[in-house]
């Protein structure tokens, strides 16, 4: 499924930084920032976009933080490009 609108992007970079929209947080602040971003945008969906090098456990922790922040729909973006 392709989600093209109506979501807050949550990007996870290999350094461990988490970008919720245009704000940068760490995992301890991710749920609160997701809640703020969803409220500002009046949305309930996030799309988590991890760098290829981000460990699966970190991605799952970010997805859990999104749910804790009130996201009713937490989607994961993946690329079909070969490494």
């Amino acid at each position: 499924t392709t989600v093209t609108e109506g979501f807050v992007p949550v990007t996870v970079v290999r350094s461990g930084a988490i970008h919720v929209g245009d704000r940068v947080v760490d995992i301890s602040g991710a749920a609160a920032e997701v809640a703020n971003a969803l409220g500002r945008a009046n949305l309930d969906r996030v799309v988590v976009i991890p760098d290829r090098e981000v460990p699966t456990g970190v991605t799952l922790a970010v997805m859990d933080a999104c749910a804790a922040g009130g996201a009713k729909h937490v989607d994961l973006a993946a690329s079909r490009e070969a490494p």
Side-chain angles (χ1 to χ4, degrees), residues 5-8 33-46 70-73:
E5 60 184 49
F7 65 90
V8 171
E33 189 53 43
V34 166
N36 290 336
L38 291 171
R40 285 191 304 269
N42 195 28
L43 295 171
D44 65 359
R45 177 183 300 273
V46 300
K72 291 186 180 6
H73 307 280

Side-chain angles (χ1 to χ4, degrees), residues 44-65:
D44 65 359
R45 177 183 300 273
V46 300
V47 175
V48 177
I49 310 161
D51 279 351
R52 185 178 304 273
E53 298 83 10
V54 172
T56 302
V58 173
T59 299
L60 292 173
V62 171
M63 293 176 77
D64 288 345

Side-chain angles (χ1 to χ4, degrees), residues 1-3 12-13 21 28 38 40 44 47 50-52 54 76 79:
T1 302
T2 301
V3 178
V12 188
V13 297
S28 67
L38 291 171
R40 285 191 304 269
D44 65 359
V47 175
D51 279 351
R52 185 178 304 273
V54 172
L76 179 64
S79 172

Side-chain angles (χ1 to χ4, degrees), residues 21-36:
D22 61 351
R23 298 180 188 234
V24 180
V25 297
D26 62 14
I27 193 65
S28 67
E33 189 53 43
V34 166
N36 290 336

